Amino acid sequence: MFSRHFLIDKILPIKCLTNIIQYCTISMQMRMIIKFIQGGNMKLDEVITKRIVKIDQINIQGVHRKRLQEMGLIPGKKIYVQKFAPLGNPMEIKINGQSISIRNEEAHLIEVSDAHE
Amino acid sequence: MPMSNTVALVGNPNCGKTTLFNVLTGSRYSVGNWPGVTVEKKEGKIDENLTLVDLPGIYSLTPFSKKDEEIAEEFLLSDRSDLIVNIVDATNLERNLYLTSQLIETGKPVILALNMIDELDIAGANIDYEKLSELIGVPVVPISALKEQGIDLLVDEIKKRIKYPKNVKWHYSGEIEKYIVDAQKKIEKESIVYKNYPSRFLAIKHLENDHEINDVVDYFDQSQLIELENKIVADRYEHIRLIIEKTFFSDRKFLDDSISDKIDSFLTNKWFGIPIFALVMYLVFQFTFSIGNIFLDIIDGFFSGVIIPGVIGTLTSLGVADWMVSMIGEGIFGGVGAVLTFLPNIIFLFIAIAILEDSGYMSRVAFILDRGLKKIGLSGKAFIPMVIGFGCNIPAIMATRTLRSETDRKISILVNPFMSCGARLPVYVLFVNAFFLKNKALVTYSLYMLGIVIAILMALIFKKTLFKGDTEVFMIELPRYRTPSIKNVSLKVWEQGKAYVQKAGSIILAASVVLWFILNLGPDGMTEMQNSYGAMIGKFIAPIFKPLGFGDWAASLSLLTGIVAKEVVISNMAIIYGLGSSVAEAALEGSVEGFAPTLGAAFNQVSAYAFMVFVLLYTPCIATLAVIKREMNSYKWMWFQMFYQFVVAWIVSFIVYQVGSILFL
């Protein structure tokens, strides 16, 4: 049926590629999980969904900072990461039992750490 | 004589403010379940000596070039407001009380109207109202605006507090209080004045690192202020937390998966979210047509079968002059009747939009589409005015005020008229029924979609050329889903339907009469339509439309007069083509032969579609232009709007007609 060459030339590289992709995704997830276990800082947009995190620092100034403040997003506050929108951006978080949507770009400037005791 | 007093109603967006305003004043304003429904302040009377002002919903008193908060802050601190009623969503105390903390600092007496207490019961939570009042230092009145509970108590409290005002201070920790007092002393010593703001309020604003205030007060330097801003905000939230801890009791946990989350697991689902949105929009139009058409038949029969022959018969028997009979029968009743015939379709469209608004789905649409809209330089929030534009562009353009970035707002205004408003629907209904009987909903849907596509393209072009600048920070609340209340939906539909009928009775009536005259008068006095002034005007501008496939004078004249109001297009066609009484009847029978001497002769399927495209895209009606002038604060933009939409409409219709002719004819 298939020649050896076919296997080596076509199937093998594809298999290799999928393996690499798989490895990358797994390692990314692992890294996040490890980060969580270590309790290290991470950005809000990197958090795996369905988790509670605590805000450590907000690297936004001026008007935009005030917008976050009035919504209750201040350091020390615990938030729940609900989901990402169908196209991957923005994200939905819960704070004080209220759902709020913010963009990943802003979320990236918010440093959080795992809040599961 | 008792003094007349003014009460300001303030609260977070979407906390039931407008509902309470309606209950207190007996007014009927639109209510929706998305943040930012109230975009202007409105006034009403509680009783003859008590005026209530409803301010736009705000999260805090932090005006940063944002209209809503500016309006609110300036009004609250002016001499005009004697008392503040702060409406608070009892189910979301933490965020709502943040605004309260700032309102108290204005130095005006504050009453806390604790709204949605009925929802608290459902959620199994309760609040110690007396304790809450004691801890904040202001009177607290539990109410339910929707169910009209506690309203009398609130009115009593308002009257009492106006007689005996009591100023309170928000509680800060010792450290912060010292900073405030220090800054305040300096402001008083140097007699710094900013607007008519009290010195303590100015001091607090300074601590909050408010840039405008920092220009006049410089007690702390910038590096101190960054730290102080964090401290004062954290201090407020800490005090709020303590208050809630002592007054709010709930057996529910922070993360309880609510019903809203379950609904959202479908509606904003990774895979189904966008297809569901497309389906919802399609169903809206299907609904508008299938149910609307049933009633359309009845109303049309009533007009053409009963009213018009009746009027003509009565007038003739009374011996009224022939031309008068013709003017009243064909001009007024024909023109106005043609517009009213489509009332059912429009009512059903309004119902559909009102349900979407009231349910809370609108914010989800913003959530789903934000990524796509970001690509064209807008935010997901810009989509809400677009959907409202399907009803009418005027409230839609006003709704753009909820967009915080000025460039976003301008672009949203400029492209909003491409959203096909209800007044354009009759044109589609007529043409679709006459020429596209098999694919009614699909053809109409395609027009709405085309409007969206053109709007997006133009937004992209504007963003790249006229408005280069940053996009607003996208942050939107996703309110809990609510079963749309019959009261809210019918209120909104009533209001918009009424406006449509009023327009038929005023502008369209006048336009019909004028049109009847220019169509029956010519240089030689009373004449045949072909020789009238109207025909002359039509013939004069017709060459412009010839390449688009509808270069006859009648269609041209209809389009020209349609700038008065889009409904006029259809009422004119009714008069000119003599469809008059039988317009919808013949359309519903679906025989183009029924139109053979009239519409069928002037149009074929391709030119009919090109005509609809033109009506969709060309210069908006006068009322919309006036709102654009007001919102953009410039005549230049208004003229620009008039001109560019005409050009866009011409180009797109040209392409549709020319390409369509090659493909289908």
Side-chain angles (χ1 to χ4, degrees):
Chain A
M1 286 256 300
F2 296 119
S3 66
R4 261 185 73 129
H5 277 289
F6 180 82
L7 272 175
I8 291 168
D9 290 350
K10 299 278 191 273
I11 304 294
L12 216 59
I14 293 170
K15 192 86 181 105
C16 272
L17 202 68
T18 51
N19 275 348
I20 289 167
I21 291 168
Q22 232 169 34
Y23 172 77
C24 284
T25 50
I26 290 171
S27 73
M28 259 170 66
Q29 280 170 356
M30 283 301 286
R31 275 214 303 273
M32 281 184 192
I33 291 164
I34 290 166
K35 257 188 174 175
F36 266 120
I37 294 165
Q38 292 173 336
N41 276 24
M42 57 191 311
K43 317 288 190 196
L44 180 58
D45 65 320
E46 300 167 347
V47 177
I48 302 163
T49 53
K50 310 281 170 197
R51 265 183 185 275
I52 301 174
V53 291
K54 189 171 114 268
I55 300 177
D56 291 328
Q57 200 179 333
I58 297 175
N59 301 316
I60 303 172
Q61 297 304 330
V63 193
H64 299 160
R65 189 185 184 88
K66 296 231 184 293
R67 295 288 157 226
L68 297 174
Q69 281 169 357
E70 64 187 24
M71 288 290 193
L73 285 153
I74 54 165
K77 188 85 205 168
K78 284 180 188 172
I79 52 181
Y80 178 71
V81 181
Q82 177 81 24
K83 64 159 76 166
F84 288 87
L87 299 172
N89 189 3
M91 63 191 301
E92 180 183 345
I93 56 169
K94 281 192 170 182
I95 180 158
N96 304 330
Q98 170 72 50
S99 292
I100 292 170
S101 167
I102 67 170
R103 278 197 183 145
N104 300 0
E105 288 82 343
E106 273 83 51
H108 192 71
L109 299 171
I110 300 174
E111 287 178 24
V112 295
S113 56
D114 192 13
H116 277 289
E117 277 95 40
Chain B
M1 210 179 88
M3 277 253 299
S4 162
N5 287 298
T6 305
V7 178
L9 186 59
V10 198
N12 279 192
N14 208 31
C15 70
K17 215 159 37 66
T18 305
T19 311
L20 178 61
F21 179 83
N22 287 345
V23 173
L24 282 174
T25 61
S27 320
R28 296 196 278 207
Y29 281 104
S30 287
V31 181
N33 185 18
W34 55 278
V37 182
T38 305
V39 286
E40 264 189 329
K41 59 172 196 266
K42 323 184 257 262
E43 286 191 17
K45 290 261 176 197
I46 299 176
D47 62 32
E48 49 191 290
N49 299 318
L50 219 49
T51 308
L52 185 68
V53 176
D54 184 19
L55 293 165
I58 49 174
Y59 293 109
S60 72
L61 280 184
T62 313
F64 271 100
S65 73
K66 210 207 146 203
K67 264 191 161 168
D68 288 356
E69 279 134 19
E70 252 174 52
I71 292 175
E73 188 183 275
E74 276 183 14
F75 183 80
L76 289 176
L77 286 153
S78 73
D79 300 336
R80 287 196 51 215
S81 68
D82 302 308
L83 179 115
I84 298 170
V85 172
N86 177 206
I87 178 164
V88 162
D89 176 355
T91 62
N92 193 351
L93 276 182
E94 185 144 6
R95 202 197 57 216
N96 279 256
L97 288 181
Y98 186 73
L99 177 65
T100 309
S101 73
Q102 290 187 315
L103 292 176
I104 287 174
E105 285 154 4
T106 61
K108 298 268 161 98
V110 175
I111 296 175
L112 217 67
L114 205 57
N115 193 23
M116 307 198 195
I117 47 162
D118 50 322
E119 286 189 33
L120 269 187
D121 296 343
I122 299 165
N126 62 71
I127 294 176
D128 184 341
Y129 307 117
E130 278 165 29
K131 188 96 184 159
L132 188 65
S133 169
E134 184 194 314
L135 288 172
I136 304 177
V138 302
V140 172
V141 186
I143 61 163
S144 165
L146 196 67
K147 304 213 166 125
E148 304 190 13
Q149 292 164 357
I151 304 300
D152 295 340
L153 282 175
L154 181 62
V155 174
D156 290 346
E157 194 65 47
I158 290 171
K159 287 180 179 160
K160 199 168 111 195
R161 289 294 144 175
I162 280 194
K163 262 192 200 150
Y164 312 104
K166 194 180 105 192
N167 288 350
V168 291
K169 283 180 184 169
W170 179 260
H171 174 86
Y172 290 100
S173 68
E175 186 196 0
I176 301 284
E177 186 62 38
K178 189 179 168 301
Y179 289 130
I180 295 172
V181 172
D182 285 352
Q184 191 184 355
K185 269 184 196 150
K186 166 156 173 155
I187 290 165
E188 279 165 6
K189 204 173 108 199
E190 297 183 7
S191 49
I192 296 166
V193 180
Y194 181 80
K195 292 178 184 165
N196 52 351
Y197 293 6
S199 56
R200 183 179 167 87
F201 187 75
L202 273 182
I204 290 164
K205 285 259 145 186
H206 183 48
L207 251 71
E208 278 180 10
N209 199 6
D210 186 314
H211 292 212
E212 263 183 63
I213 306 295
N214 289 350
D215 290 343
V216 287
V217 185
D218 57 353
Y219 186 71
F220 297 107
D221 63 36
Q222 195 54 40
S223 61
Q224 287 172 303
L225 283 174
I226 289 176
E227 202 187 318
L228 284 171
E229 180 192 356
N230 281 338
K231 275 190 180 165
I232 191 167
V233 174
D235 196 78
R236 275 193 196 129
Y237 274 116
E238 178 57 21
H239 188 53
I240 291 169
R241 194 186 63 76
L242 287 173
I243 292 172
I244 292 173
E245 208 176 82
K246 286 176 191 157
T247 57
F248 186 86
F249 309 102
S250 167
D251 37 337
R252 265 177 63 187
K253 284 206 201 91
F254 173 51
L255 282 179
D256 246 359
D257 235 23
S258 64
I259 299 165
S260 277
D261 289 333
K262 291 199 180 94
I263 299 173
D264 264 343
S265 64
F266 291 101
L267 294 186
T268 62
N269 181 284
K270 197 169 167 42
W271 307 109
F272 314 133
I274 290 171
I276 287 176
F277 166 68
L279 184 71
V280 167
M281 290 325 262
Y282 182 75
L283 288 178
V284 166
F285 299 115
Q286 193 66 44
F287 176 71
T288 304
F289 271 81
S290 53
I291 306 186
N293 273 1
I294 301 170
F295 292 92
L296 185 126
D297 216 4
I298 299 168
I299 293 198
D300 181 52
F302 180 63
F303 255 98
S304 56
V306 183
I307 300 257
I308 293 178
V311 168
I312 291 178
T314 318
L315 289 176
T316 316
S317 68
L318 286 173
V320 176
D322 274 355
W323 69 269
M324 194 71 164
V325 174
S326 157
M327 188 193 83
I328 294 172
E330 289 162 24
I332 295 177
F333 280 88
V336 174
V339 172
L340 288 182
T341 307
F342 298 97
L343 187 64
N345 293 92
I346 284 166
I347 295 279
F348 281 98
L349 181 67
F350 287 158
I351 291 175
I353 292 175
I355 289 173
L356 288 186
E357 277 191 67
D358 210 39
S359 65
Y361 185 59
M362 284 294 203
S363 305
R364 269 70 181 188
V365 173
F367 178 65
I368 292 172
L369 298 179
D370 180 63
R371 174 112 193 247
L373 283 156
K374 203 181 72 181
K375 284 236 161 70
I376 60 166
L378 293 175
S379 85
K381 264 200 253 176
F383 204 81
I384 297 177
M386 287 170 121
V387 176
I388 296 171
F390 289 143
C392 175
N393 297 124
I394 293 165
I397 285 167
M398 287 170 58
T400 60
R401 288 191 184 181
T402 55
L403 304 175
R404 280 177 178 144
S405 130
E406 206 49 27
T407 53
D408 277 22
R409 204 168 99 82
K410 282 195 170 130
I411 294 174
S412 299
I413 290 173
L414 286 174
V415 303
N416 196 282
F418 289 127
M419 297 296 109
S420 187
C421 68
R424 280 169 260 187
L425 187 62
V427 179
Y428 312 150
V429 177
L430 174 67
F431 276 78
V432 161
N433 276 317
F435 294 97
F436 302 96
L437 206 57
K438 290 204 185 88
N439 305 310
K440 283 188 210 172
L442 193 68
V443 168
T444 315
Y445 187 63
S446 77
L447 285 162
Y448 280 84
M449 284 298 139
L450 181 72
I452 295 174
V453 170
I454 298 289
I456 289 171
L457 281 178
M458 289 315 296
L460 202 56
I461 292 169
F462 287 140
K463 189 80 186 177
K464 288 265 150 67
T465 55
L466 294 175
F467 307 102
K468 292 174 194 158
D470 63 335
T471 317
E472 78 165 295
V473 170
F474 175 78
M475 207 170 8
I476 190 167
E477 225 184 291
L478 303 172
R480 276 179 304 258
Y481 284 107
R482 215 162 52 185
T483 315
S485 93
I486 294 172
K487 191 176 149 200
N488 284 348
V489 171
S490 49
L491 238 158
K492 189 166 286 184
V493 172
W494 166 250
E495 200 180 298
Q496 289 174 314
K498 197 175 73 183
Y500 185 83
V501 174
Q502 276 171 348
K503 214 155 67 171
S506 54
I507 297 175
I508 291 157
L509 180 90
S512 297
V513 172
V514 170
L515 195 82
W516 186 88
F517 273 109
I518 65 169
L519 284 174
N520 285 283
L521 286 177
D524 318 318
M526 287 288 277
T527 174
E528 288 292 302
M529 221 179 258
Q530 289 84 347
N531 305 319
S532 66
Y533 287 122
M536 283 162 69
I537 299 168
K539 277 173 196 151
F540 180 71
I541 56 167
I544 303 172
F545 302 111
K546 193 143 187 73
L548 314 183
F550 38 91
D552 82 315
W553 68 266
S556 309
L557 186 66
S558 296
L559 288 174
L560 181 71
T561 49
I563 294 176
V564 174
K566 291 291 166 93
E567 296 95 327
V568 174
V569 174
I570 209 74
S571 66
N572 283 2
M573 293 191 110
I575 298 171
I576 298 172
Y577 290 113
L579 305 174
S581 50
S582 65
V583 54
E585 194 184 8
L588 281 177
E589 280 162 14
S591 54
V592 184
E593 288 86 64
F595 289 96
T598 53
L599 269 189
F603 292 96
N604 56 43
Q605 279 197 324
V606 174
S607 65
Y609 194 79
F611 185 79
M612 288 192 283
V613 168
F614 195 85
V615 170
L616 164 70
L617 301 176
Y618 87 121
T619 310
C621 68
I622 289 172
T624 304
L625 287 171
V627 169
I628 289 169
K629 193 256 135 193
R630 201 184 70 197
E631 293 297 308
M632 296 287 249
N633 204 9
S634 110
Y635 277 106
K636 197 186 79 188
W637 282 114
M638 189 191 79
W639 291 110
F640 175 76
Q641 186 91 36
M642 263 178 97
F643 184 72
Y644 105 87
Q645 275 198 258
F646 192 90
V647 172
V648 169
W650 197 92
I651 294 170
V652 179
S653 296
F654 179 78
I655 295 169
V656 166
Y657 180 65
Q658 297 298 336
V659 174
S661 296
I662 294 165
L663 292 179
F664 300 111
L665 296 181

